[in-house]
Every structure is written in C-alpha cells, then in structure tokens.
Amino acid sequence: MQKKKGVIYQSISGFYYVWSENQSFATKPKGLFRHTNEKPLVGDEVVIEVDEQDSQSESRLIEILPRENELVRPSISNVDYSMIVTSLVEPDFSYNLLDYFLVSIESNHIEPIILLSKYDLLVEAVGQKAADRKVEEINRVYAPAGYTVVTLNNNESDIDKIKQLIDTGLYVIMGQSGVGKSTLLNLLLPEANIETGIISEALNRGKHTTREVTLYPFNDGFLADTPGFSAIDFPDIEKADLRFYFPEIARAGELCKFRSCLHLNEPGCNVKSEVETGDIAQSRYNNYEQIMERIEQRKPVYKKKK
Ligand SMILES: Nc1nc2c(ncn2[C@@H]2O[C@H](COP(=O)(O)OP(=O)(O)OP(=O)(O)O)[C@@H](O)[C@H]2O)c(=O)[nH]1
Ligand SMILES: [Zn+2]
C-alpha cells in the first residue's frame, strides 16, 4: 500500500474520486469516518492509500486535510476564487447586489473576480459609447479594491478571457439568477453539458434534482461545474470585521487616527477622506454603511434567541 495526496473531484454513490499525480482513483472512506462524523466533500485535499500492485483494486480514503473554507448548496470545500457573474442588463447591473456578493465571498476568504455579462445586450440597448462608459465607470469603482473586471459577450472570445484569468486553484461561478452562469459554464466546459435556465426549467418542472458538483481540470486549476451558487447566506460578520472585506477600505483604514476606527463617525478617519477625494467610490462606502447597519440590526435578535 502506498499513501498519496490528492483532491476529491467527484462523489458518486459512496465513492469519492480523487485526482492525484495526474491520475484518477476511485476511493472509499475508511470506517474511521463513520465515528468522527466527518463527511468528505468535493474540493477536499485528502490522503489516500493505493495498492500499487493492483491498480484495479479499490483505494482507501484515510484522511481529510484541514479545510480552507466550506460552502453549502452545493457543498464544496477549499474554494480559492469565485467568479461573480453580474449582468449589465436583464437583470440590470446593481452596485449594491454586487457588493453583497463581494463581502460574502471575502468573508469566506475566497478571492473574487467580477465578470460583467451581456455586454452585447447593453450595446444594443444604449449604443457603443454609452456602454463603454458604463463599463469604465464600473472598472473605476472596483479598481481601488484590486478586483479584476472582465466583460462577457456570450461568444468564443469569452473563453480566451477566462483562460487568461485562471491559474492554479479551485474556481467556482456565482451570481444571481438569469445572469448567464450556465451559459458561461457551457462555453468553458462543453463536455459537462450544463443545462441553461430555460432548458432546465422545461425538463425539471416540479422536480427536485440535486446534482452533485464535479470539478473539471481547467488550465492549471479546477473549475466547479455548477451554476448553483445564486446567493450565499448573509454571513455572520462581526461589526469590527466588515472593514476587512472591502480591500480598499482596509488599506485606507491603516492611516486612520484610531486603529479601532470603523470609518463611521470617528475623527481623523482616512477612509472618509478618501471617499471625499474620490479615491474610494461613494457607492462602495454607502454599501459598507448599509451592510454595517444590517449587522447592527441583527445583533439584538441574535441575543434574544439565546
Ligand atoms: N446576449 C447575451 N445573452 C446572454 C449572455 N449570457 C447569458 N445570456 C442569456 O441569458 C439567459 C440566462 O442565462 P443562464 O445561463 O441560464 O443564466 P443563469 O445565471 O445560469 O441562470 P439561473 O440558472 O437561473 O441561475 C439565457 O437566455 C442566455 O442565453 C450574454 O453575454 N449575452
Ligand atoms: Zn476610519
């Protein structure tokens, strides 16, 4: 028996398929897991035991390495990057919604990438010049945060753009309903055969189909084949932590008079100065304040329950 490290890329009826050293192994968890209540997840880094003498024999999954993070519906662990698909039209672009997604992703210690879909439809609706102005405006808002912003047209050119983005690591796609997540996945992973909104509605009317997530090798990384992340639950963020989930606010905040500055009404606040000079976008600050209010409102409810 030989021990190897690998990543679970698929789980089907009790088997966990592990990718290790450019090979796939069908593994079954060792009985041990039943006692510890540990359930392996797609994305898990694991240690497996392989019978070198007999490559057909079942390999054993003996250890799950500590997880960086864990998402639910669908369950997946160790996500490095999330591509947030946000349409420019149909549905209309919303700074507010995008910032909620970004905070939620940042709080899970995942790096976001912003994809603006339906650029072609925006051009149709408002003309080339106005469409480019809109995209530039969005770029200006997110550049201080260091986020990558890419526009999509639902054609072959999207594939090259995404290929340039993806390096090593595990990538997922998120975004509200109808923005084009499945459409993009089909472009990127034609072999995965993902149903787009309209088709899946026709086929699954009234049925509950739970599809397990599968990871596909993509460039040097993995891409999850699910468009199922339409929202992640509003995370349980502490008031004092929110500032770290807006990278440009975190950076500017290092120069505030008080280390504990929450950038609300404190004197000597460098974040507020940078909003005034335009170095931090007003919309980003407004959404920071709004999410802060939501956290404050949640607290009393939280305490009553106890
Ligand atoms: N013109 C244009 N249409 C697009 C683009 N991306 C997606 N669409 C269309 O938008 C519609 C919705 O796309 P989907 O891929 O089903 O969206 P989704 O995000 O997976 O939606 P849910 O499954 O509801 O979460 C489809 O009719 C797509 O053809 C784009 O870049 N340009
Ligand atoms: Zn401050």
Side-chain angles (χ1 to χ4, degrees):
M1 288 288 188
Q2 207 206 356
K3 282 186 186 177
K4 287 178 191 287
K5 267 190 195 176
V7 173
I8 301 180
Y9 71 90
Q10 193 172 45
S11 120
I12 302 174
S13 24
F15 277 96
Y16 294 92
Y17 292 85
V18 174
W19 191 251
S20 169
E21 296 162 11
N22 284 315
Q23 260 187 295
S24 170
F25 298 92
T27 73
K28 279 246 171 163
K30 215 169 123 177
L32 196 82
F33 291 117
R34 240 170 281 148
H35 303 297
T36 57
N37 247 338
E38 249 186 317
K39 195 179 176 297
L41 290 178
V42 169
D44 276 347
E45 276 191 79
V46 294
V47 179
I48 58 173
E49 232 173 30
V50 178
D51 188 349
E52 296 266 282
Q53 254 56 57
D54 176 11
S55 62
Q56 298 303 310
S57 84
E58 193 178 290
S59 304
R60 298 201 300 172
L61 200 170
I62 58 173
E63 189 186 347
I64 301 173
L65 300 181
R67 290 173 185 148
E68 291 292 319
N69 53 43
E70 198 179 317
L71 304 182
V72 280
R73 266 173 293 119
S75 14
I76 185 168
S77 65
N78 298 324
V79 176
D80 297 299
Y81 300 91
S82 176
M83 299 193 270
I84 312 168
V85 185
T86 313
S87 52
L88 288 158
V89 284
E90 297 179 28
D92 279 346
F93 179 83
S94 157
Y95 283 109
N96 189 257
L97 187 65
L98 178 54
D99 285 347
Y100 271 88
F101 264 107
L102 288 167
V103 164
S104 175
I105 287 164
E106 290 277 1
S107 71
N108 279 293
H109 306 287
I110 298 171
E111 201 172 305
I113 297 166
I114 300 168
L115 306 181
L116 303 174
S117 65
K118 310 197 186 183
Y119 173 74
D120 56 315
L121 289 185
L122 181 65
V123 172
E124 249 175 59
V126 300
Q128 186 77 50
K129 264 198 178 155
D132 286 340
R133 241 181 285 128
K134 180 72 188 174
V135 171
E136 270 164 38
E137 175 196 296
I138 296 169
N139 265 287
R140 264 201 308 277
V141 168
Y142 293 99
Y147 293 145
T148 302
V149 180
V150 171
T151 55
L152 301 176
N153 284 306
N154 190 15
N155 64 31
E156 299 289 309
S157 69
D158 293 346
I159 303 176
D160 292 330
K161 287 183 187 170
I162 304 288
K163 277 194 172 155
Q164 280 172 29
L165 287 177
I166 292 192
D167 197 5
T168 57
L170 202 172
Y171 292 73
V172 299
I173 291 187
M174 291 186 185
Q176 116 190 79
S177 184
V179 292
K181 299 182 294 295
S182 320
T183 305
L184 177 65
L185 272 170
N186 275 322
L187 269 176
L188 299 175
L189 302 173
E191 69 276 26
N193 242 321
I194 293 133
E195 293 163 353
T196 51
I198 300 159
I199 303 168
S200 64
E201 217 174 280
L203 288 178
N204 300 327
R205 199 159 293 164
K207 267 192 266 169
H208 276 289
T209 46
T210 44
R211 225 173 116 268
E212 297 278 345
V213 53
T214 299
L215 302 183
Y216 284 79
F218 197 91
N219 285 6
D220 290 329
F222 283 110
L223 179 58
D225 73 340
T226 174
F229 304 101
S230 55
I232 19 190
D233 297 329
F234 188 70
D236 217 359
I237 298 174
E238 293 297 320
K239 259 180 85 170
D241 288 338
L242 182 63
R243 55 198 166 148
F244 302 119
Y245 304 142
F246 286 74
E248 73 276 48
I249 289 180
R251 192 164 5 88
E254 284 172 21
L255 297 177
C256 291
K257 188 172 173 196
F258 302 108
R259 275 210 86 65
S260 60
C261 190
L262 294 181
H263 324 308
L264 298 170
N265 296 303
E266 297 92 333
C269 176
N270 186 52
V271 170
K272 290 198 112 168
S273 315
E274 289 206 14
V275 174
E276 265 158 44
T277 56
D279 292 305
I280 292 175
Q282 187 69 50
S283 69
R284 291 279 287 164
Y285 183 74
N286 292 351
N287 291 331
Y288 171 80
E289 273 190 321
Q290 196 196 91
I291 297 173
M292 188 65 92
E293 269 171 39
R294 235 181 109 172
I295 295 172
E296 279 170 355
Q297 284 162 6
R298 190 188 53 190
K299 282 290 164 185
V301 182
Y302 211 59
K303 278 184 189 144
K304 243 189 252 166
K305 269 191 190 165
K306 280 191 179 170

